[in-house]
Amino acid sequence: MTYQEALAWLYSTQQFGIKLGLENTLRLLAGLGDPQDVLKIFHVAGTNGKGSVCAMLDSVLRRAGHPTGLYTSPHLVDFRERIRVDGTMISKADAASGLTRVRELSANWDHVPTFFEICTALALRHFADAGCEYVVLETGMGGRLDATNAVEPIVSVLTPIGFDHMEWLGDTLAKIAGEKAGIIKPGVPAVSAPQLPETREVFLNRARQVGSPMTFVEEPWPGAVGLAGSHQKWNAALAATALSLAGLEIPPDHLAAGLSAVVWPGRFHRLGPKIIVDGAHNPHAMERLVDTWRSEMGDLRPLVIFGALRDKDVPGMLRQLDMIAAAYHFVPVQSARGADPSTFAEWTERPHRLFETLEAAVRAAGNFDGPLLFTGSLFLAGEVLAFFGEGNRDGPCSV
């Protein structure tokens, strides 16, 4: 298959939805020679901050001279963002050949592998072929039954837990934490960001059950961090602790340089002095965004261009945004899971307008003198980056 044909096939598997469980992934990996067995993996799960922590780990490891693979989701503009070696996206040729191999492997299966299962297998095979020494692997949604949990990591990393994906992971923090805790493996050190008491207890219980040394970060990183917001100091401390637990003796200057130079698009991403893009998509993440806005932008109130997926807590997000928003432009998100923006108005008392497209909302924002904030979904963040010339978007995807 050509790259475009391979991508079209991959996107066609989205019709099969999300499937929790490891059977397909293990079967794919076995057919690909079990590439995960030759990789040293940092496995990262949580509700918010996963991508930022992954980017920090990758940045430090590369700064210290270690060939490193980075697997994250979703992508914002280009599918190949998900799979990077030493900061470089997988080539179109390698993606096409890898996807062709996976398609051939699974052609006669009764249960076709899902989009995310295919991506995970493709990534691990690519990292092994590229000679990566370390891999930073972000879970897609949960942990216990997430496709990425087919690996045996050297450290399990847990970011803050909040309410998200509740239809899959449970309707209490304890249930959600229980799914995330599934990445804690027997004898493998685990490190967590500070957690609420009910979440902390779940992690401690899991660690005791499997004999995993469990550490909680207690202080934020004292140095500079390349990403905006006080919460990123805690993410940096989490990344630094994970590296230490892996037994890596990172020179202090490489650790500091890697954390201060980290870049992660879509997280308080500045497209100009008064244009901010942030992929916050649940109330916990939105609370962090509001705090960061106040610290970075002071009392300035933005026009918020907002779109979300229908399985997200839109009322909770808008309650947070109301604290800083001057007004809203509500827009659809280009995804089969996109929420109807006409339903958003009932959740805010701020002035608001409804638009059928992102382009129309941006054009109408030209009359606003203050800053613009695009938020509500990573899918929307990707649309915005593509709209402002950050690349040609491959298309929406489910995870």
Side-chain angles (χ1 to χ4, degrees):
M1 294 186 290
T2 66
Y3 175 69
Q4 290 302 327
E5 289 169 342
L7 209 59
W9 170 74
L10 175 63
Y11 278 118
S12 75
T13 65
Q14 290 185 341
Q15 65 183 295
F16 304 112
I18 296 170
K19 177 182 175 294
L20 298 181
L22 304 179
E23 181 181 354
N24 275 354
T25 307
L26 289 168
R27 189 177 177 186
L28 279 178
L29 290 173
L32 295 172
D34 285 318
Q36 74 279 9
D37 292 346
V38 300
L39 301 168
K40 300 173 184 176
I41 297 172
F42 291 85
H43 197 191
V44 184
T47 303
N48 294 308
K50 298 194 303 290
S52 297
V53 171
C54 286
M56 291 172 184
L57 287 167
D58 173 70
S59 180
V60 173
L61 287 166
R62 290 194 287 119
R63 184 60 63 107
H66 298 286
T68 303
L70 175 64
Y71 178 61
T72 59
S73 61
H75 63 270
L76 297 182
V77 178
D78 189 322
F79 164 77
R80 297 177 301 133
E81 295 168 26
R82 295 167 175 258
I83 304 170
R84 301 173 186 260
V85 172
D86 289 337
T88 300
M89 295 188 297
I90 185 173
S91 70
K92 291 183 177 181
D94 285 343
S97 62
L99 288 170
T100 299
R101 187 175 177 187
V102 170
R103 184 179 186 179
E104 291 170 350
L105 272 175
S106 60
N108 297 317
W109 289 13
D110 291 334
H111 301 288
V112 177
T114 66
F115 181 100
F116 192 68
E117 291 167 340
I118 294 166
C119 292
T120 301
L122 171 67
L124 291 168
R125 184 66 264 171
H126 180 66
F127 295 148
D129 291 342
C132 292
E133 181 181 4
Y134 291 98
V135 165
V136 181
L137 199 68
E138 179 188 4
T139 59
M141 183 171 63
R144 182 176 65 93
L145 298 175
D146 189 85
T148 61
N149 210 28
V151 308
E152 184 73 12
I154 57 172
V155 180
S156 302
V157 186
L158 294 149
T159 68
I161 304 301
F163 288 103
D164 205 358
H165 300 298
M166 290 179 286
E167 72 277 24
W168 294 100
L169 305 180
D171 57 0
T172 68
L173 285 179
K175 289 178 182 177
I176 294 170
E179 293 298 321
K180 307 288 186 180
I183 72 163
I184 301 175
K185 301 289 180 64
V188 175
V191 59
S192 171
Q195 304 287 353
L196 293 171
E198 56 265 49
T199 300
R200 181 185 177 98
E201 189 61 29
V202 170
F203 288 171
L204 286 171
N205 285 339
R206 168 67 180 179
R208 283 192 289 263
Q209 288 168 4
V210 301
S212 170
M214 185 79 216
T215 301
F216 287 88
V217 171
E218 296 182 350
E219 299 288 342
W221 175 250
V225 180
L227 302 178
S230 61
H231 61 291
Q232 298 292 4
K233 297 271 191 179
W234 288 97
N235 286 337
L238 183 60
T241 305
L243 292 164
S244 177
L245 289 173
L248 280 161
E249 297 181 0
I250 304 290
D253 59 331
H254 288 161
L255 180 60
L259 292 173
S260 64
V262 66
V263 174
W264 196 231
R267 282 72 176 180
F268 213 83
H269 186 147
R270 292 180 182 267
L271 292 177
K274 290 188 176 183
I275 301 178
I276 306 295
V277 184
D278 194 283
H281 52 275
N282 57 57
H284 183 262
M286 207 60 76
E287 183 180 357
R288 300 285 80 78
L289 170 56
V290 168
D291 289 344
T292 303
W293 182 273
R294 286 169 167 162
S295 66
E296 297 288 320
M297 308 295 283
D299 294 331
L300 288 175
R301 286 188 170 271
L303 170 61
V304 179
I305 291 85
F306 180 91
L309 301 182
R310 61 174 175 268
D311 56 349
K312 300 303 180 181
D313 182 1
V314 171
M317 287 194 282
L318 292 179
R319 278 196 297 271
Q320 293 293 331
L321 284 169
D322 275 357
M323 298 180 191
I324 59 169
Y328 293 98
H329 284 182
F330 293 136
V331 297
V333 173
Q334 292 179 12
S335 168
R337 293 162 53 208
D340 179 354
S342 68
T343 65
F344 300 164
E346 65 179 297
W347 305 113
T348 180
E349 295 182 359
R350 298 287 183 200
H352 52 268
R353 294 176 62 187
L354 179 66
F355 294 89
E356 293 185 358
T357 65
L358 173 65
E359 180 180 1
V362 173
R363 190 165 56 246
N367 296 323
F368 185 74
D369 291 333
L372 304 182
L373 171 60
F374 296 83
T375 192
S377 169
L378 281 169
F379 297 92
L380 179 65
E383 292 177 44
V384 174
L385 295 180
F387 178 83
F388 282 101
E390 298 284 320
N392 294 315
R393 198 159 189 257
D394 279 329
C397 51
S398 58
V399 280

